[in-house]
Every structure is written in structure tokens, then in C-alpha cells.
Amino acid sequence: MTRKIFQSMIAVVVSVLLLSLALITGVLYEHFESAMLDQMRTTASFVEQGVKEDGMKYLDEMSSSQCRITWIEADGTVKFDNRSDPGTMENHADRAEVKEALENESGTSIRRSSTLSEHTLYYAKRMQDGTVLRLAMSQRSVLFLMGGMISPVVFIFLAACALAGVLSYRVSKKIVKPLGSIDLQHPEQVETYDELSPFLQRIAAQNREIRSQMEEIRKQQQEFSMITENMSEGLFVVDRNYQILSYNRSAVRIFGMAPESVPENLLAVNRSEGFRSVVDSALKGRHAQENLELDGRVYQIIASPVCQQEDALDLVGAVILTLDVTEKEAQEQYRREFTANVSHELKTPLTSISGIAEIIRNGIVRPEDIPHFAGKIYDESQRLITLIGDIIKLSRLDENQVPMERESVDLLETARDVVQQLASVARKNGVTLVTNGSHGVVNGVRQVLGEMVYNLCENAVKYNRPGGRVWVDVRQAADHVELCVKDTGIGIPAAEQGRIFERFYRVDKSHSKAVGGTGLGLSIVKHGAALHHATIHVDSEPGEGTAITLTFPAG
């Protein structure tokens, strides 16, 4: 700004100097011309008086005069000229100054010569005898006069420019100094030119508005960061060139990246075809989603395009959301397997019942065999009722619809009741049931706890060998209660132990058909343990038996 002010002031000074020089030269030129004309009038009066007194003799004496003197007859014939021979001169009757003098007693004219850079001033006066006395003087042109003055003019001009430069520099610095000292953060507190006050007040108002907007932006950014950083879902925000603009900690964790080495390009985060396809679709303006398996877990990748306006096609980027759907996928798989297993388990007894009923309807059964077939129908019906009952129990446990009236339950007393209920089944299978331990009280749902112990003991009896034993032990500790059901049965292979609590899963399917059951008992135990915040531990060896331990928080 200082430079511009300096240049402007110098330009003004130079322009003023040049204009002043031109005006002064013009004024002086006009003054000199007027003075010369007055001098010629005076000289003409003297010459007229001399001619009256001495005639031609006086004019001869004026031959060396600086003025050119010409005496002209009324008809324009030249009688005398102190510079030329009158006989060789042409008639002057058509000269403007001569005509004017004959008419008005005096006349003037100026004839300019561009080649000689001068002009001639003529003054003519009519004398009493009718003749005309004319005087002529040459005068240099303005340009010639200025050319002659060039040296002093240039010196004066340069001196004036130098002085103007120094003064302009100091003045421009002085003008700019208050502007340079303005505090843009608090412009209203600065003392400067009155003309700048509206401008500074506007800056102050804009500063307040900007601070308010920035504070609002910071607040929104903090809220956004707080929300995204506490999300369990992974989040990426990218531009149209796949460059990562924002991400959260969950995204870093899910994709196994180090927080300090997150790549700039999203495609470097995961190079799988499915991931790239989802991102490409979003950056083409289409919502897309895909499941991706990472480190044994299943994640759903949801990509949505981001546009400047809702109806605009000008994409600015995309939002990539990563959800952990491992449990959801597992539940969906369990649901499909459960549906298939239930269909199979229901179909078997229903087919048997339908077949027996068809035989009886067709009269093929002998009267003495009807009780046998009726018994088969009853057994299959009971199997159906038991299966449906177990399914209902599981459904209620899944949906937390069991009666939640908790009370203090003694597991040793519960175990004794269960052993008494299974005594006849144990005798039939040649298995001895024994209850040991101390009283252990837990806070829980009595019905569910009873079903859990019953299912564990029933399995221990069914999958035992003739002459085998089953021990039900209860132990009270300081902060927990343990219930262990141990048998001398067929045992469970280590590879199968992780699946025995799945619905309808059977380790030995051929043996399971022989002993019956719905295949839902251990699933009920698992859900009941979750309801009571208990843990399950399985210890088993094929051919040596199984021990399943439930650990409950002390009631």
C-alpha cells in the first residue's frame, strides 16, 4: 500500500510540474508578445514623428534598427524598407495589417513560420498623409524558447522530483503507519482516521460474527467427535478421490490399523474386492452394502454417497459405516438350523402317528394289537408334547419372558428333588444317582434352576452305561455356589464339547435315537445359566465320563 501511495503522489507531482511548466511558458509567451506589440506601437509613434520632421533622411538613419521598417503608399507601393530594396518588393495592399491600418488607423497581424521555428509580428499605422508606416519584429516560437530553457528546466524538474520523492515517501509512510498498527482482532480500540471508523466497526462486527460461528462449529465438531469416537461401529468419511477425511477409533480397531499410521487413501485400508465394490458404488451415487469377514468376525459395510444438495448429482464424497454383525449372522444361522431341526423333530413322531392311524383306519390291525399301536401313538404324542414344551421354554428364555420372580433357592434341595424324580429312570437304566455336598443358596428363578439341574441329570443318566454312577455335588464358597453333575458315561470328544449346548445337536446320533430326548436340554441349561449370570465348565473324556459344573454368584 505504501508503494501505491508513493507512486500515486509522484505521478501527481510530476503531472503538476509538467502542467505548471506548460502554463507558465504559455503565460510568459503571451506576456512577451503583448510587451513586444506595445514596444512596436511606441516605436511607430517615434518613427512617425521623425518622418514628419526629417522625411526620408530619418528613415535612412533607421536602417540599422532591430525592427524592420517599411513605408507604404496608400495604393500598396513600398516607398521604403530598411531591409530590402523597395523596387524589388511586391505590392503590400493585400497585407492584413495594411488593410486594417487603412481602415482603422492601425492594424496588427502575426505570420508564423514552422520551418524557422519563429513568427513575425506586424504593426501598421496610417499616417496623416494617407501612407502606412509598418514595423515588423521576429519572435521565437514557444517550443524554441522551451528548447533553449531545457537545461535549467530539466535541472529544476529533477530537483523538484527528488524533493517530491522524499516528501512523498515520508508522507506515504506516515499515512500508512496508522493502518499498519490496526489490531484486526480489536479494531474498535484503535485510534486512526475518522474516515476509517465505519470500516473498522464493520470489521469488529464481522469478527464477532466469525467468533460466534467458529464457536458453534467447534461445539458441533466436539459433539460429532464425541458421538463418533464412542460408536462401536467403524466410520470413514472420504472425498470423491478416496482420500480419508475423517475416521473414528472403532474403524482403526476393526481394520487392525495402528492409530499413528492410518493411510490417506481408503482403498489401502482393505484391498478386498467386496470392500472396493461397495466404496465404488457409493462414489457413483448409489447406496451399497456388503458383508466382510475380518479376523473371524463378520462386518456389514454400508456405504452412502454424500452430495452437495439432496437432488444434486455432484458428489463430494461418501460415508462408510462398518457394523459388527457376527452375533446377528450367528443367530440367523441358528434360526435356520433351529427351523430345520424343529421341522425334522416334529416330522418324525407325526409321521409315526399318521402311519399308525392310517393302519388302524384301514382295519389292518387285529383287535388284540390295538393296545400296542395305541401305546405307540401315546409315546409319540408325549414325545411331541415334550419337544414343544422344550421349544416353548427356550423361546421364553430367548425373549426373557420367563417369570422373573427371583427368590433364594437352595441348590442342594433342588438337586435332591431332581434325583428323586429321576430315580425310576435311573433304576431302569441301571444307574446309581447320588447327591453330595453342602447347602448352597442362590438368588434365582426356582423353576428355571430346577429345569437346568433336571436336564443335566437326565443326560447323565441317559448317556451312562449299565452299572454306572451319577454324582450331583453342591459346594458353597464365599462368593459363589458350584453345582457339578458328574457321570461315568460315554464321554464327549474334545472337538464336540463346544457344540453340545447348540439346539438339537447330538454327539452320537445313533445312541441319541435309542435314549430319546429332544436335543434341547443343554440349550435350556445354557440359557438358564445366562439368565442367572452363571458360567458353565465341561470336563469330559470319551469312555470315561463327563463332568459339567455350573458356577453361580452367591445369593
Side-chain angles (χ1 to χ4, degrees):
M1 185 175 182
T2 304
R3 182 179 178 183
K4 288 186 176 180
I5 295 176
F6 175 76
Q7 291 175 345
S8 299
M9 294 181 70
I10 287 295
V12 170
V13 169
V14 171
S15 299
V16 170
L17 286 175
L18 292 175
L19 181 61
S20 299
L21 179 61
L23 290 174
I24 291 172
T25 303
V27 170
L28 290 176
Y29 187 81
E30 291 294 331
H31 172 72
F32 291 153
E33 189 175 85
S34 177
M36 185 181 294
L37 185 60
D38 290 341
Q39 182 182 357
M40 291 174 67
R41 289 194 184 98
T42 302
T43 303
S45 298
F46 286 125
V47 172
E48 180 182 10
Q49 186 66 29
V51 169
K52 286 181 180 180
E53 294 178 358
D54 298 330
M56 190 65 69
K57 180 181 178 181
Y58 179 79
L59 291 176
D60 290 338
E61 294 177 354
M62 295 289 294
S63 58
S64 60
S65 175
Q66 293 181 351
C67 293
R68 182 177 182 180
I69 301 174
T70 306
W71 191 10
I72 305 169
E73 294 286 354
D75 61 358
T77 303
V78 177
K79 293 177 61 176
F80 173 80
D81 189 275
N82 64 346
R83 300 286 176 85
S84 300
D85 182 8
T88 60
M89 296 176 65
E90 60 185 7
N91 190 284
H92 281 38
D94 58 346
R95 300 292 193 270
E97 67 277 5
V98 175
K99 288 182 179 181
E100 187 178 355
L102 291 174
E103 294 176 0
N104 300 320
E105 294 187 358
S106 65
T108 59
S109 68
I110 299 174
R111 285 192 278 280
R112 305 182 185 276
S113 173
S114 59
T115 57
L116 297 177
S117 297
E118 62 181 14
H119 61 269
T120 304
L121 180 63
Y122 294 93
Y123 175 76
K125 183 177 181 181
R126 187 183 64 188
M127 295 195 297
Q128 293 180 355
D129 58 0
T131 60
V132 175
L133 183 64
R134 187 185 74 174
L135 278 70
M137 292 184 70
S138 296
Q139 186 181 23
R140 296 293 186 182
S141 66
V142 176
L143 292 178
F144 187 83
L145 291 175
M146 291 182 66
M149 298 168 58
I150 190 66
S151 296
V153 167
V154 168
F155 176 77
I156 295 172
F157 179 78
L158 292 177
C161 287
L163 180 61
V166 173
L167 295 177
S168 298
Y169 178 76
R170 296 183 64 180
V171 170
S172 60
K173 292 286 286 185
K174 187 176 180 180
I175 292 174
V176 173
K177 185 177 179 180
L179 300 178
S181 62
I182 294 176
D183 183 4
L184 294 180
Q185 296 298 322
H186 307 90
E188 69 281 0
Q189 300 178 3
V190 178
E191 294 184 4
T192 183
Y193 308 113
D194 294 339
E195 293 80 3
L196 289 177
S197 295
F199 175 68
L200 295 179
Q201 291 174 2
R202 179 157 187 164
I203 291 179
Q206 287 183 344
N207 284 346
R208 290 192 293 270
E209 184 178 355
I210 290 171
R211 282 194 294 267
S212 175
Q213 293 176 349
M214 290 298 295
E215 184 63 28
E216 183 65 24
I217 291 172
R218 278 194 295 269
K219 183 178 178 181
Q220 292 178 358
Q221 186 176 14
Q222 289 175 354
E223 293 175 352
F224 176 77
S225 298
M226 186 180 301
I227 293 171
T228 56
E229 289 302 317
N230 288 281
M231 288 171 55
S232 60
E233 298 82 7
L235 176 70
F236 286 108
V237 180
V238 299
D239 62 15
R240 59 191 306 169
N241 297 317
Y242 301 92
Q243 297 300 305
I244 297 175
L245 303 177
S246 179
Y247 60 89
N248 64 356
R249 286 182 295 189
S250 295
V252 174
R253 173 182 54 79
I254 290 171
F255 287 93
M257 299 179 292
E260 66 277 2
S261 60
V262 176
E264 296 181 358
N265 193 291
L266 182 65
L267 299 181
V269 172
N270 186 277
R271 301 184 183 277
S272 64
E273 182 64 29
F275 184 78
R276 176 166 190 142
S277 175
V278 169
V279 177
D280 286 344
S281 297
L283 292 177
K284 291 178 181 177
R286 300 190 301 270
H287 178 84
Q289 61 184 40
E290 182 75 30
N291 285 355
L292 185 67
E293 185 172 348
L294 297 170
D295 297 330
R297 300 194 68 81
V298 180
Y299 295 94
Q300 186 178 38
I301 312 298
I302 302 175
S304 300
V306 177
C307 304
Q308 288 184 340
Q309 297 179 358
E310 293 183 1
D311 56 347
L313 297 177
D314 187 13
L315 286 170
V316 295
V319 175
I320 315 299
L321 193 64
T322 306
L323 291 77
D324 189 343
V325 295
T326 305
E327 300 300 329
K328 180 181 177 182
E329 288 294 312
Q331 290 177 3
E332 183 64 21
Q333 181 64 24
Y334 290 153
R335 185 193 65 78
R336 290 193 293 266
E337 292 178 357
F338 180 74
T339 302
N341 289 329
V342 166
S343 301
H344 175 74
E345 295 293 337
L346 290 176
K347 183 178 180 180
T348 300
L350 286 173
T351 301
S352 178
I353 292 171
S354 177
I356 294 172
E358 184 179 4
I359 292 173
I360 295 174
R361 186 188 67 178
N362 293 334
I364 300 175
V365 180
R366 292 176 299 178
E368 60 270 23
D369 292 331
I370 290 178
H372 171 71
F373 284 105
K376 294 289 288 183
I377 292 174
Y378 176 79
D379 291 340
E380 295 297 333
S381 299
Q382 290 300 310
R383 182 180 173 187
L384 279 175
I385 292 172
T386 302
L387 176 62
I388 293 171
D390 287 346
I391 292 172
I392 292 173
K393 292 175 187 176
L394 274 176
S395 297
R396 288 177 176 174
L397 288 171
D398 280 340
E399 299 174 6
N400 293 322
Q401 292 182 352
V402 294
M404 297 302 291
E405 297 179 3
R406 293 179 177 266
E407 56 183 306
S408 296
V409 180
D410 188 338
L411 289 183
L412 182 60
E413 294 297 331
T414 302
R416 288 172 178 172
D417 292 341
V418 170
V419 167
Q420 189 175 3
Q421 293 174 30
L422 291 172
S424 60
V425 177
R427 284 194 298 271
K428 182 179 178 181
N429 289 306
V431 175
T432 302
L433 270 172
V434 179
T435 305
N436 296 317
S438 59
H439 293 279
V441 179
V442 299
N443 183 25
V445 181
R446 183 179 297 276
Q447 178 186 352
V448 176
L449 291 171
E451 290 173 354
M452 293 169 63
V453 177
Y454 184 91
N455 285 323
L456 289 174
C457 293
E458 184 183 35
N459 278 355
V461 171
K462 287 181 179 180
Y463 293 97
N464 215 318
R465 59 175 180 269
R469 295 177 65 86
V470 176
W471 294 272
V472 184
D473 291 326
V474 178
R475 294 285 183 269
Q476 174 77 56
D479 58 349
H480 65 274
V481 177
E482 288 186 358
L483 182 144
C484 178
V485 178
K486 183 178 180 181
D487 63 59
T488 58
I490 61 175
I492 305 170
E496 306 287 342
Q497 291 178 14
R499 301 192 62 188
I500 60 175
F501 295 98
E502 295 179 10
R503 300 171 185 181
F504 299 107
Y505 186 79
R506 292 183 174 92
V507 177
D508 187 349
K509 296 180 175 56
S510 60
H511 188 73
S512 298
K513 290 180 180 179
V515 300
T518 62
L520 297 174
L522 290 183
S523 293
I524 294 175
V525 172
K526 176 184 176 182
H527 284 73
L531 179 66
H532 291 87
H533 306 291
T535 60
I536 305 175
H537 176 71
V538 179
D539 185 12
S540 181
E541 289 291 337
E544 296 183 7
T546 301
I548 299 180
T549 303
L550 297 176
T551 303
F552 296 87

